[in-house]
Amino acid sequence: MIIKCISIDDEYLATKVLESHLNEIPDFKLIASFSNPLEAISTIENEDINVIFIDINMPKMNGLDFIKSINTKAHFVITTAHREFAAESYDLNVVDYLLKPIAFSRFLKATQKIKNLFKPDFPQDYGNSEKTSIFIKVDKKHVKVKFDDIFYVESLKDYVKIFTKTGNYLVHKSLTSLEEELPTEKFLRIHRSFLISLNEVEFIEGNSIQINKKRIPIGRKYAETTKNILLDMNE
């Protein structure tokens, strides 16, 4: 089966990155690219489109509003530079939420999710399509860590320290690299040195939060997004 895709994004470079990524993945075909949602309506209505990669902030129409308004069987994948819309997008049953700049490794995981939607047209992938854990390399072992067990992660130069309910792990990996492996609906970067589990936040006070009795600072550039996401979770 060939999975037919379209891209809706007003950023030329972002469109080119998406095209390049799709060209590297078998069974996916980019039918067309559009700079705003209204231009794509005719193609969506007249072509058998399987997946729509769509930005959020665009001229003429917001991507989330477009998803709410269009009647289509196609699956949506959000591609955006803004993390704060993640919770709202998952309420719309999007397949994935990709943050720009989109690393190829992260994009590949999204395409595996998409393939799982078209079973039995594709061989079933090993494991669950919705991952609940990751393996991290500690010394000479690969240790399985459940997402729900993670409190937060701290960057320590060339290492990260993962604080969990079952123990703490020092891993030779960058915080950005680990962030790409964790689901965006469960984890949030709140500081250049800290990544947190959204469900483990006990309270927000000023420019810090508390998790497991640990005060964690909120970086200035992350402050607005962090507070918006955490406060929206309880609405």
Side-chain angles (χ1 to χ4, degrees):
M1 175 184 176
I2 297 297
I3 296 178
K4 298 179 181 178
C5 312
I6 64 169
S7 167
I8 307 175
D9 197 320
D10 63 321
E11 297 179 30
Y12 176 79
L13 290 179
T15 298
K16 288 301 178 184
V17 168
L18 185 70
E19 290 177 359
S20 176
H21 286 350
L22 283 171
N23 285 337
E24 296 295 324
I25 302 174
D27 304 315
F28 283 78
K29 182 178 181 181
L30 185 64
I31 302 299
S33 297
F34 303 94
S35 60
N36 73 71
L38 300 183
E39 294 176 352
I41 292 176
S42 177
T43 298
I44 294 171
E45 291 178 340
N46 296 302
E47 300 283 344
D48 186 19
I49 302 301
N50 303 120
V51 180
I52 300 170
F53 293 92
I54 187 168
D55 191 14
I56 293 179
N57 291 332
M58 290 181 289
K60 297 188 178 180
M61 194 171 193
N62 174 283
L64 295 178
D65 291 337
F66 181 71
I67 294 173
K68 295 173 186 176
S69 65
I70 190 105
N71 183 19
T72 176
K73 293 181 180 179
H75 299 284
F76 285 91
V77 174
I78 299 292
T79 60
T80 180
H82 303 279
R83 185 187 288 271
E84 62 266 30
F85 300 105
E88 182 180 356
S89 72
Y90 279 104
D91 288 340
L92 298 175
N93 294 319
V94 302
V95 178
D96 211 339
Y97 192 95
L98 303 179
L99 289 171
K100 299 175 182 176
I102 303 170
F104 181 76
S105 59
R106 181 65 182 84
F107 188 80
L108 184 60
K109 291 180 181 179
T111 61
Q112 291 301 317
K113 286 186 180 181
I114 294 167
K115 282 188 175 184
N116 285 329
L117 297 173
F118 294 96
K119 299 171 183 175
D121 299 287
F122 291 98
Q124 184 169 346
D125 293 326
Y126 290 107
N128 195 313
S129 61
E130 294 297 330
K131 290 177 60 178
T132 59
S133 62
I134 56 171
F135 279 91
I136 57 173
K137 189 174 182 180
V138 181
D139 296 325
K140 296 182 179 180
K141 298 182 294 184
H142 285 84
V143 179
K144 183 178 181 179
V145 177
K146 294 180 180 178
F147 296 147
D148 289 343
D149 284 345
I150 298 174
F151 287 121
Y152 60 93
V153 184
E154 182 177 4
S155 174
L156 301 170
K157 293 187 177 180
D158 295 330
Y159 291 81
V160 293
K161 191 170 186 178
I162 305 173
F163 295 81
T164 81
K165 298 173 184 177
T166 57
N168 304 328
Y169 305 97
L170 189 63
V171 183
H172 188 247
K173 181 186 286 284
S174 70
L175 190 61
T176 299
S177 176
L178 181 63
E179 183 181 10
E180 291 175 356
E181 299 181 50
L182 299 173
T184 55
E185 69 273 22
K186 291 179 178 288
F187 294 90
L188 180 67
R189 183 83 166 262
I190 67 166
H191 188 278
R192 66 178 184 176
S193 299
F194 287 96
L195 178 69
I196 65 162
S197 170
L198 291 168
N199 289 332
E200 298 298 331
V201 175
E202 296 166 8
F203 61 79
I204 312 171
E205 184 176 26
N207 287 323
S208 68
I209 64 167
Q210 180 161 304
I211 294 180
N212 194 34
K213 300 181 180 179
K214 163 76 173 180
R215 282 296 186 100
I216 301 174
I218 301 173
R220 183 179 301 176
K221 78 171 186 177
Y222 301 91
E224 183 177 358
T225 298
T226 298
K227 292 176 181 178
N228 286 343
I229 290 177
L230 288 173
L231 296 177
D232 283 349
M233 288 176 66
N234 297 319
E235 291 184 355

